[in-house]
Amino acid sequence: MADETALEPAEAPRAPTAQEALLATVLGAVPEGVVTASRIARGEEVELRVRREALHAVLQMLRDDPRLAFEQCMDICGVDWPTRAARFDVVYNLLSLTHNHRIRVITETDAATPVATVCDLWPAATWFEREAWDMYGIVFDGQPDLRRILTDYGFEGHPLRKDFPLTGFVEVRYDAERQQVVYEPVKLQQDFRNFDFLSPWEGMTTLPGDEKVHLNRITRE
């Protein structure tokens, strides 16, 4: 007797998401061994880790390949991992207006090894690279204007490094009375305060305008 059990239809393969398709295109375009890691972070952010020596070529490919067309460098920032030999992540956030997609490219370096500048690819990157140098001390090879941008010219150290000391340095501020920039020792002190944990409603016994009510209570008593 023939088996009359109906066969369940096979599930159709899932179509790749836009992020998966973008990642596949990028991985197919870069040479083998250039990308050390790749993922779709939080389900929607395409992320690549690229070898430092190949960074400039990869970023130029991402800009010039018409399938990708990342015309804009939106941001360059750093992340400090003091326990690593290559302690800094240099992060590039790119945007394609043509295809309406984004990508994050990350490379690693240390305090002495420079990263190739991308100001020849995106002129606005000069501002971002100056900020990364000022805050982290990341050196960009070929950057013609590597000056501090957020701190003063005479500032020592790089404030966003995680081993940057909070005391013993000087801070810079503008004194309106003296009408000049002044240097002062960093002071991170907090005066002693008594904290009560009552909510403001519990601690409030008399609301503005309730004075007559309390007077009436006293008179009746």
Side-chain angles (χ1 to χ4, degrees), residues 20-60:
E20 291 172 342
L22 172 61
L23 181 57
T25 302
V26 173
L27 293 178
V30 299
E32 186 177 356
V34 167
V35 176
T36 60
S38 63
R39 64 171 182 162
I40 300 177
R42 289 167 288 276
E44 57 183 18
E45 300 173 2
V46 180
E47 184 177 291
L48 294 179
R49 285 191 170 268
V50 177
R51 297 189 184 279
R52 182 180 60 251
E53 58 272 14
L55 175 69
H56 190 277
V58 170
L59 293 177
Q60 185 170 4

Side-chain angles (χ1 to χ4, degrees), residues 79-82 87-88 136 158-165:
V79 183
D80 187 14
W81 305 92
R87 65 181 294 178
F88 299 118
Y136 293 95
H158 303 280
L160 289 187
R161 288 189 179 184
K162 292 183 179 178
D163 55 2
F164 182 78

